[in-house]
Amino acid sequence: FYNMGVQQQAAAAAAAAKDGKDTKSFAAYLAERELANNPGDELLIRILKAGCVLFYEINKDTLNETESLHLMQYVQEMREIDPNHVFYLTGSADKGTGTEAINRRLSNGRVNNVKRYLINDLKVAPEKVVIKKAIISDQHADGRLDRCVLFENE
Protein backbone atom coordinates (compact mmCIF):
# COMPACT_ATOMS: atom_id res chain seq x y z
CA PHE A 1 0.00 0.00 0.00
CA TYR A 2 2.74 2.49 0.94
CA ASN A 3 4.44 1.78 -2.41
CA MET A 4 1.34 2.91 -4.31
CA GLY A 5 1.12 6.40 -5.77
CA VAL A 6 -1.20 8.89 -4.09
CA GLN A 7 -3.81 8.52 -6.86
CA GLN A 8 -3.77 4.72 -6.51
CA GLN A 9 -4.13 5.12 -2.75
CA ALA A 10 -7.08 7.49 -3.20
CA ALA A 11 -8.77 4.99 -5.53
CA ALA A 12 -8.22 2.23 -2.97
CA ALA A 13 -9.65 4.50 -0.26
CA ALA A 14 -12.73 5.22 -2.36
CA ALA A 15 -13.22 1.48 -2.91
CA ALA A 16 -12.93 0.86 0.84
CA ALA A 17 -15.58 3.53 1.51
CA LYS A 18 -17.94 1.94 -1.00
CA ASP A 19 -17.47 -1.38 0.80
CA GLY A 20 -18.85 0.24 3.96
CA LYS A 21 -15.56 0.58 5.83
CA ASP A 22 -16.41 3.80 7.64
CA THR A 23 -14.24 4.55 10.69
CA LYS A 24 -16.65 7.15 12.05
CA SER A 25 -19.56 4.75 12.37
CA PHE A 26 -17.33 2.03 13.85
CA ALA A 27 -15.78 4.48 16.32
CA ALA A 28 -19.21 5.85 17.23
CA TYR A 29 -20.46 2.32 17.83
CA LEU A 30 -17.54 1.54 20.17
CA ALA A 31 -17.84 4.87 22.01
CA GLU A 32 -21.61 4.59 22.48
CA ARG A 33 -21.20 1.08 23.87
CA GLU A 34 -18.56 2.30 26.36
CA LEU A 35 -20.47 5.48 27.24
CA ALA A 36 -23.27 3.40 28.74
CA ASN A 37 -20.79 2.31 31.44
CA ASN A 38 -18.89 5.62 31.62
CA PRO A 39 -21.39 8.48 31.35
CA GLY A 40 -19.68 11.82 30.95
CA ASP A 41 -16.35 10.30 29.80
CA GLU A 42 -14.64 13.18 27.94
CA LEU A 43 -12.72 11.07 25.41
CA LEU A 44 -15.80 9.02 24.48
CA ILE A 45 -17.84 12.18 23.95
CA ARG A 46 -15.06 13.63 21.78
CA ILE A 47 -14.94 10.41 19.73
CA LEU A 48 -18.68 10.66 19.11
CA LYS A 49 -18.26 14.25 17.87
CA ALA A 50 -15.11 13.56 15.80
CA GLY A 51 -15.19 13.71 12.02
CA CYS A 52 -12.80 10.78 11.76
CA VAL A 53 -11.09 8.43 14.21
CA LEU A 54 -7.96 6.45 13.32
CA PHE A 55 -7.14 3.43 15.46
CA TYR A 56 -3.68 2.05 16.32
CA GLU A 57 -2.25 -1.25 17.42
CA ILE A 58 -0.60 -1.48 20.84
CA ASN A 59 2.85 0.13 20.91
CA LYS A 60 2.56 1.47 17.34
CA ASP A 61 2.53 5.05 16.15
CA THR A 62 2.17 4.32 12.43
CA LEU A 63 -1.09 3.73 10.59
CA ASN A 64 -1.88 0.32 9.21
CA GLU A 65 -3.21 -0.03 5.65
CA THR A 66 -6.87 0.04 6.66
CA GLU A 67 -6.55 3.21 8.71
CA SER A 68 -4.49 4.87 5.95
CA LEU A 69 -7.36 4.18 3.56
CA HIS A 70 -9.84 5.65 6.01
CA LEU A 71 -7.69 8.76 6.37
CA MET A 72 -7.39 9.27 2.63
CA GLN A 73 -11.13 8.87 2.15
CA TYR A 74 -11.90 11.32 4.94
CA VAL A 75 -9.49 13.94 3.56
CA GLN A 76 -10.90 13.50 0.05
CA GLU A 77 -14.46 13.97 1.34
CA MET A 78 -13.54 17.03 3.39
CA ARG A 79 -11.76 18.62 0.42
CA GLU A 80 -14.89 18.13 -1.68
CA ILE A 81 -17.08 19.70 1.01
CA ASP A 82 -14.71 22.55 1.89
CA PRO A 83 -11.37 23.03 0.11
CA ASN A 84 -10.28 25.34 2.96
CA HIS A 85 -11.07 22.86 5.75
CA VAL A 86 -8.68 22.91 8.70
CA PHE A 87 -7.88 19.54 10.31
CA TYR A 88 -7.66 19.62 14.14
CA LEU A 89 -5.89 16.55 15.54
CA THR A 90 -5.73 14.96 18.98
CA GLY A 91 -3.54 11.91 19.57
CA SER A 92 -4.11 9.37 22.30
CA ALA A 93 -2.31 6.46 23.94
CA ASP A 94 -3.70 4.08 26.53
CA LYS A 95 -2.56 4.23 30.13
CA GLY A 96 -2.70 0.50 30.71
CA THR A 97 -0.06 -0.84 28.30
CA GLY A 98 3.19 0.98 28.99
CA THR A 99 5.03 3.51 31.07
CA GLU A 100 4.05 7.16 31.03
CA ALA A 101 7.15 7.99 28.96
CA ILE A 102 6.35 5.35 26.35
CA ASN A 103 2.71 6.42 26.16
CA ARG A 104 3.66 10.10 25.83
CA ARG A 105 6.01 9.15 22.94
CA LEU A 106 3.26 7.08 21.28
CA SER A 107 0.60 9.75 21.67
CA ASN A 108 2.87 12.45 20.24
CA GLY A 109 4.19 10.11 17.55
CA ARG A 110 0.69 9.18 16.39
CA VAL A 111 -0.55 12.73 16.02
CA ASN A 112 2.70 13.98 14.45
CA ASN A 113 2.82 11.07 11.97
CA VAL A 114 -0.74 11.83 10.87
CA LYS A 115 0.19 15.50 10.46
CA ARG A 116 3.25 14.58 8.33
CA TYR A 117 1.16 12.17 6.23
CA LEU A 118 -1.48 14.84 5.62
CA ILE A 119 1.12 17.39 4.58
CA ASN A 120 3.67 15.26 2.72
CA ASP A 121 1.54 12.54 1.11
CA LEU A 122 -1.94 14.02 0.83
CA LYS A 123 -0.65 17.54 0.10
CA VAL A 124 -2.71 19.34 2.74
CA ALA A 125 -1.28 22.82 3.34
CA PRO A 126 0.68 22.89 6.64
CA GLU A 127 -1.39 25.79 7.98
CA LYS A 128 -4.50 23.61 7.60
CA VAL A 129 -3.25 20.92 10.00
CA VAL A 130 -3.38 21.83 13.70
CA ILE A 131 -2.34 19.54 16.53
CA LYS A 132 -4.62 20.27 19.48
CA LYS A 133 -2.96 17.91 21.93
CA ALA A 134 -1.57 14.50 22.65
CA ILE A 135 -3.06 12.71 25.65
CA ILE A 136 -2.76 9.56 27.69
CA SER A 137 -6.30 8.38 28.31
CA ASP A 138 -7.97 6.16 30.85
CA GLN A 139 -8.25 2.50 30.02
CA HIS A 140 -11.60 1.65 28.42
CA ALA A 141 -12.95 -1.87 28.11
CA ASP A 142 -12.18 -1.68 24.39
CA GLY A 143 -8.59 -0.41 24.29
CA ARG A 144 -8.90 0.77 20.70
CA LEU A 145 -10.73 3.80 22.04
CA ASP A 146 -7.58 4.79 23.91
CA ARG A 147 -5.19 4.24 20.98
CA CYS A 148 -6.34 6.69 18.35
CA VAL A 149 -6.06 10.01 16.57
CA LEU A 150 -9.22 12.12 16.45
CA PHE A 151 -10.10 14.66 13.78
CA GLU A 152 -12.07 17.25 15.70
CA ASN A 153 -14.03 20.33 14.69
CA GLU A 154 -11.83 22.84 16.53
Side-chain angles (χ1 to χ4, degrees):
F1 177 77
Y2 292 105
N3 294 328
M4 290 182 187
V6 172
Q7 292 200 352
Q8 288 174 309
Q9 291 176 358
K18 287 180 184 172
D19 289 340
K21 296 176 181 168
D22 174 10
T23 56
K24 173 128 172 58
S25 60
F26 178 67
Y29 165 76
L30 292 177
E32 286 171 352
R33 191 175 67 183
E34 289 277 333
L35 203 54
N37 297 324
N38 301 300
D41 184 297
E42 181 186 341
L43 180 62
L44 296 176
I45 292 167
R46 290 170 67 192
I47 287 172
L48 284 170
K49 293 179 180 178
C52 179
V53 180
L54 304 172
F55 295 110
Y56 289 81
E57 296 173 30
I58 293 173
N59 205 30
K60 300 283 183 191
D61 65 2
T62 55
L63 291 171
N64 64 30
E65 182 177 337
T66 300
E67 297 303 341
S68 293
L69 291 172
H70 292 152
L71 175 56
M72 289 186 325
Q73 180 64 32
Y74 176 68
V75 170
Q76 181 179 354
E77 289 172 4
M78 293 312 298
R79 282 180 166 161
E80 289 172 7
I81 294 169
D82 177 8
N84 295 311
H85 182 76
V86 176
F87 298 93
Y88 295 92
L89 310 174
T90 296
S92 178
D94 61 326
K95 216 182 243 189
T97 58
T99 65
E100 184 170 341
I102 289 170
N103 287 327
R104 180 100 21 236
R105 178 186 57 79
L106 285 168
S107 182
N108 282 306
R110 289 170 180 160
V111 76
N112 281 297
N113 284 339
V114 168
K115 180 178 182 175
R116 274 192 293 281
Y117 187 72
L118 288 168
I119 293 167
N120 297 335
D121 296 312
L122 300 181
K123 305 303 180 202
V124 175
E127 65 274 10
K128 293 184 180 176
V129 182
V130 178
I131 294 176
K132 287 179 66 172
K133 59 182 164 178
I135 61 173
I136 299 173
S137 73
D138 295 323
Q139 187 78 13
H140 292 96
D142 190 322
R144 291 175 288 194
L145 293 167
D146 299 309
R147 297 184 302 274
C148 62
V149 168
L150 308 174
F151 283 73
E152 300 185 80
N153 300 315
E154 253 185 277

Short mmCIF file of all heavy atoms in Angstrom, two decimals, residues 1-16 65 68-69 72-73 76 117 121-122:
data_model
loop_
_atom_site.label_atom_id
_atom_site.label_comp_id
_atom_site.label_asym_id
_atom_site.label_seq_id
_atom_site.Cartn_x
_atom_site.Cartn_y
_atom_site.Cartn_z
N PHE A 1 0.83 -1.20 0.00
CA PHE A 1 0.00 0.00 0.00
C PHE A 1 0.87 1.26 0.00
O PHE A 1 0.61 2.19 -0.73
CB PHE A 1 -0.92 -0.02 1.21
CG PHE A 1 -1.76 1.22 1.34
CD1 PHE A 1 -2.87 1.40 0.54
CD2 PHE A 1 -1.43 2.21 2.23
CE1 PHE A 1 -3.63 2.54 0.64
CE2 PHE A 1 -2.19 3.34 2.35
CZ PHE A 1 -3.29 3.51 1.55
N TYR A 2 1.91 1.29 0.86
CA TYR A 2 2.74 2.49 0.94
C TYR A 2 3.57 2.69 -0.32
O TYR A 2 4.07 3.76 -0.56
CB TYR A 2 3.64 2.45 2.17
CG TYR A 2 2.84 2.57 3.43
CD1 TYR A 2 2.60 1.47 4.24
CD2 TYR A 2 2.27 3.79 3.80
CE1 TYR A 2 1.84 1.59 5.38
CE2 TYR A 2 1.50 3.91 4.94
CZ TYR A 2 1.29 2.80 5.73
OH TYR A 2 0.53 2.91 6.85
N ASN A 3 3.71 1.65 -1.15
CA ASN A 3 4.44 1.78 -2.41
C ASN A 3 3.56 2.29 -3.53
O ASN A 3 4.03 2.57 -4.61
CB ASN A 3 5.06 0.43 -2.81
CG ASN A 3 6.12 0.00 -1.82
OD1 ASN A 3 6.80 0.83 -1.24
ND2 ASN A 3 6.25 -1.30 -1.62
N MET A 4 2.26 2.39 -3.30
CA MET A 4 1.34 2.91 -4.31
C MET A 4 1.51 4.42 -4.43
O MET A 4 1.89 5.09 -3.48
CB MET A 4 -0.13 2.69 -3.89
CG MET A 4 -0.61 1.31 -3.88
SD MET A 4 -2.37 1.38 -3.39
CE MET A 4 -2.71 -0.34 -3.23
N GLY A 5 1.17 4.95 -5.60
CA GLY A 5 1.12 6.40 -5.77
C GLY A 5 -0.09 6.95 -5.05
O GLY A 5 -1.01 6.21 -4.70
N VAL A 6 -0.10 8.26 -4.82
CA VAL A 6 -1.20 8.89 -4.09
C VAL A 6 -2.53 8.66 -4.80
O VAL A 6 -3.54 8.39 -4.17
CB VAL A 6 -0.93 10.40 -3.89
CG1 VAL A 6 -2.14 11.09 -3.31
CG2 VAL A 6 0.27 10.60 -2.99
N GLN A 7 -2.55 8.72 -6.14
CA GLN A 7 -3.81 8.52 -6.86
C GLN A 7 -4.29 7.08 -6.70
O GLN A 7 -5.50 6.86 -6.56
CB GLN A 7 -3.64 8.89 -8.32
CG GLN A 7 -3.44 10.38 -8.48
CD GLN A 7 -3.75 10.87 -9.87
OE1 GLN A 7 -3.98 10.09 -10.78
NE2 GLN A 7 -3.76 12.17 -10.02
N GLN A 8 -3.37 6.12 -6.73
CA GLN A 8 -3.77 4.72 -6.51
C GLN A 8 -4.31 4.55 -5.10
O GLN A 8 -5.28 3.84 -4.88
CB GLN A 8 -2.59 3.78 -6.73
CG GLN A 8 -2.16 3.63 -8.16
CD GLN A 8 -0.89 2.80 -8.26
OE1 GLN A 8 0.09 3.08 -7.58
NE2 GLN A 8 -0.94 1.78 -9.09
N GLN A 9 -3.67 5.21 -4.13
CA GLN A 9 -4.13 5.12 -2.75
C GLN A 9 -5.52 5.72 -2.61
O GLN A 9 -6.38 5.17 -1.92
CB GLN A 9 -3.15 5.84 -1.82
CG GLN A 9 -1.81 5.14 -1.70
CD GLN A 9 -0.83 5.92 -0.84
OE1 GLN A 9 -1.14 7.01 -0.36
NE2 GLN A 9 0.34 5.38 -0.66
N ALA A 10 -5.76 6.85 -3.27
CA ALA A 10 -7.08 7.49 -3.20
C ALA A 10 -8.15 6.59 -3.80
O ALA A 10 -9.25 6.47 -3.27
CB ALA A 10 -7.05 8.84 -3.90
N ALA A 11 -7.81 5.92 -4.91
CA ALA A 11 -8.77 4.99 -5.53
C ALA A 11 -9.06 3.83 -4.59
O ALA A 11 -10.22 3.41 -4.45
CB ALA A 11 -8.22 4.49 -6.86
N ALA A 12 -8.03 3.33 -3.93
CA ALA A 12 -8.22 2.23 -2.97
C ALA A 12 -9.07 2.70 -1.80
O ALA A 12 -9.92 1.97 -1.29
CB ALA A 12 -6.87 1.71 -2.49
N ALA A 13 -8.86 3.95 -1.36
CA ALA A 13 -9.65 4.50 -0.26
C ALA A 13 -11.12 4.63 -0.65
O ALA A 13 -12.01 4.31 0.12
CB ALA A 13 -9.10 5.87 0.16
N ALA A 14 -11.36 5.09 -1.88
CA ALA A 14 -12.73 5.22 -2.36
C ALA A 14 -13.41 3.85 -2.42
O ALA A 14 -14.57 3.71 -2.04
CB ALA A 14 -12.75 5.88 -3.73
N ALA A 15 -12.66 2.84 -2.86
CA ALA A 15 -13.22 1.48 -2.91
C ALA A 15 -13.55 0.98 -1.51
O ALA A 15 -14.58 0.36 -1.29
CB ALA A 15 -12.23 0.54 -3.60
N ALA A 16 -12.68 1.28 -0.54
CA ALA A 16 -12.93 0.86 0.84
C ALA A 16 -14.19 1.53 1.38
O ALA A 16 -14.99 0.90 2.07
CB ALA A 16 -11.73 1.20 1.72
N GLU A 65 -2.63 -0.28 6.98
CA GLU A 65 -3.21 -0.03 5.65
C GLU A 65 -4.67 0.39 5.73
O GLU A 65 -5.10 1.33 5.05
CB GLU A 65 -3.06 -1.28 4.78
CG GLU A 65 -3.58 -1.08 3.38
CD GLU A 65 -3.37 -2.31 2.51
OE1 GLU A 65 -2.48 -3.11 2.79
OE2 GLU A 65 -4.12 -2.44 1.53
N SER A 68 -4.98 3.95 6.98
CA SER A 68 -4.49 4.87 5.95
C SER A 68 -5.56 5.10 4.90
O SER A 68 -5.77 6.23 4.44
CB SER A 68 -3.22 4.33 5.29
OG SER A 68 -2.17 4.30 6.21
N LEU A 69 -6.26 4.04 4.52
CA LEU A 69 -7.36 4.18 3.56
C LEU A 69 -8.48 5.05 4.11
O LEU A 69 -9.02 5.91 3.42
CB LEU A 69 -7.91 2.81 3.17
CG LEU A 69 -6.99 1.91 2.35
CD1 LEU A 69 -7.59 0.52 2.22
CD2 LEU A 69 -6.74 2.52 0.99
N MET A 72 -7.34 8.71 3.98
CA MET A 72 -7.39 9.27 2.63
C MET A 72 -8.82 9.56 2.20
O MET A 72 -9.09 10.61 1.60
CB MET A 72 -6.71 8.32 1.63
CG MET A 72 -5.22 8.30 1.82
SD MET A 72 -4.32 7.36 0.59
CE MET A 72 -5.37 6.02 0.22
N GLN A 73 -9.73 8.66 2.50
CA GLN A 73 -11.13 8.87 2.15
C GLN A 73 -11.70 10.08 2.87
O GLN A 73 -12.39 10.91 2.28
CB GLN A 73 -11.96 7.62 2.45
CG GLN A 73 -13.43 7.77 2.10
CD GLN A 73 -13.66 7.96 0.62
OE1 GLN A 73 -12.92 7.43 -0.21
NE2 GLN A 73 -14.69 8.71 0.28
N GLN A 76 -10.29 13.27 1.37
CA GLN A 76 -10.90 13.50 0.05
C GLN A 76 -12.31 14.06 0.21
O GLN A 76 -12.69 15.02 -0.45
CB GLN A 76 -10.92 12.20 -0.74
CG GLN A 76 -11.50 12.33 -2.12
CD GLN A 76 -11.48 11.01 -2.88
OE1 GLN A 76 -10.94 10.01 -2.42
NE2 GLN A 76 -12.07 11.00 -4.04
N TYR A 117 1.80 12.87 7.33
CA TYR A 117 1.16 12.17 6.23
C TYR A 117 0.20 13.10 5.48
O TYR A 117 0.17 13.12 4.25
CB TYR A 117 0.42 10.94 6.77
CG TYR A 117 -0.14 10.05 5.70
CD1 TYR A 117 0.69 9.27 4.91
CD2 TYR A 117 -1.51 9.99 5.48
CE1 TYR A 117 0.17 8.44 3.93
CE2 TYR A 117 -2.04 9.17 4.50
CZ TYR A 117 -1.19 8.40 3.73
OH TYR A 117 -1.71 7.59 2.75
N ASP A 121 2.11 13.51 2.05
CA ASP A 121 1.54 12.54 1.11
C ASP A 121 0.21 12.99 0.50
O ASP A 121 -0.04 12.76 -0.67
CB ASP A 121 1.37 11.18 1.78
CG ASP A 121 2.70 10.57 2.18
OD1 ASP A 121 3.62 10.55 1.34
OD2 ASP A 121 2.83 10.14 3.34
N LEU A 122 -0.63 13.61 1.32
CA LEU A 122 -1.94 14.02 0.83
C LEU A 122 -1.97 15.48 0.43
O LEU A 122 -3.01 15.99 0.01
CB LEU A 122 -3.02 13.70 1.88
CG LEU A 122 -3.13 12.23 2.25
CD1 LEU A 122 -4.22 12.00 3.27
CD2 LEU A 122 -3.34 11.35 1.02
#
